[in-house]
């Protein structure tokens, strides 16, 4: 491989690694290791901010573009859901963020809103409703990402099922993933990130 792949991670606390005890447990570091194993020379930059909503992506995009971006991973949506950001508003902001990264020459992979119905804080009576709201939000996000020229990470419902049945995948706050949870998420995201790196190298 020639050239260094500038890998940028944007988004919320999942992208920032809240719940991890060491840097190498975060999504950015785990996926950087995957990219390096595939033969890429990688420069990792993490612009994610814990607590970020889609409204905060514009500043992160500007920061990433200033440093140069070849492949970007955007993880966003959980805080939009918890703050009741209207789905159309959040999707529109995500569209603009992806478009900005694409115009800067980046391949963009997006992990859309997770199923918050699996979080233990959610009362059982409301879990189906929360899962339905999460799914609607994620679908609108996915449409916006594709329209902007990005790719939606192929994360199946089986991943959320694992979180629903294994408390060990959550950190002590019972909201963010534990290191084991991050490992599962990284494994799910890896094929999409590797494919984006392949398009960059082509």
């Amino acid at each position: 491989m020639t050239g260094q792949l500038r890998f940028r991670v944007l988004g919320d606390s999942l992208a920032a690694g809240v719940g991890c005890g060491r840097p190498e447990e975060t999504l950015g570091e785990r996926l950087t290791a995957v990219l390096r194993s595939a033969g890429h020379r990688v420069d990792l930059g993490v612009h994610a901010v814990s607590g970020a909503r889609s409204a905060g992506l514009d500043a992160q995009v500007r920061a990433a573009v200033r440093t140069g971006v070849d492949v970007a991973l955007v993880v966003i949506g959980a805080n939009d859901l918890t703050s009741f950001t209207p789905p159309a508003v959040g999707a529109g902001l995500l569209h603009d963020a992806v478009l900005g990264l694409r115009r800067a020459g980046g391949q963009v992979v997006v992990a859309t809103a997770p199923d918050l119905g699996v979080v233990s804080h959610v009362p059982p009576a409301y879990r189906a409703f929360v899962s339905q709201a999460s799914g609607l939000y994620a679908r609108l996000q996915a449409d916006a990402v594709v329209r902007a020229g990005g790719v939606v990470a192929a994360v199946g419902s089986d991943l959320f099922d694992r979180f629903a049945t294994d408390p060990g995948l959550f950190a002590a706050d019972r909201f963010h993933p534990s290191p084991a949870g991050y490992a599962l998420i990284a494994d799910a995201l890896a094929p999409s990130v590797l494919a984006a790196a392949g398009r960059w190298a082509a």
Side-chain angles (χ1 to χ4, degrees):
M1 298 271 179
T2 59
Q4 189 173 55
L5 189 159
R6 296 167 297 182
F7 179 40
R8 306 296 180 241
V9 180
L10 301 82
D12 55 24
S13 55
L14 269 72
V18 174
C20 293
R22 296 176 297 172
E24 58 266 30
E25 295 169 345
T26 64
L27 290 181
E29 292 287 355
R30 288 181 185 276
L31 290 167
T32 293
V34 169
L35 289 166
R36 287 175 177 155
S37 294
H40 295 283
R41 295 172 52 238
V42 184
D43 169 49
L44 171 64
V46 178
H47 302 283
V49 177
S50 179
R53 301 192 297 266
S54 295
L57 285 176
D58 182 60
Q60 295 184 31
V61 169
R62 292 198 306 271
V65 169
R66 279 197 298 271
T67 66
V69 54
D70 300 311
V71 174
L73 171 66
V74 182
V75 183
I76 199 74
N79 296 312
D80 291 278
L81 284 166
T82 59
S83 64
F84 303 104
T85 299
V89 172
L93 291 164
L94 178 57
H95 171 277
D96 293 346
V98 173
L99 192 61
L101 292 165
R102 292 290 290 137
R103 286 176 172 167
Q107 300 291 329
V108 185
V109 176
V110 177
T112 55
D115 180 358
L116 292 184
V118 305
V119 176
S120 62
H121 295 316
V122 177
Y126 292 99
R127 284 180 185 163
F129 171 76
V130 172
S131 290
Q132 184 179 31
S134 300
L136 170 63
Y137 204 96
R139 286 192 295 276
L140 288 179
Q141 284 182 307
D143 179 65
V145 168
V146 172
R147 285 189 288 107
V151 173
V152 178
V155 177
S157 60
D158 55 328
L159 176 67
F160 300 119
D161 292 341
R162 290 283 300 276
F163 275 86
T165 57
D166 186 352
L169 297 178
F170 286 95
D173 65 5
R174 297 186 296 148
F175 184 80
H176 294 96
S178 65
Y182 276 107
L184 272 184
I185 297 169
D187 287 345
L189 296 177
S192 298
V193 172
L194 283 169
R199 290 192 297 273
W200 164 77

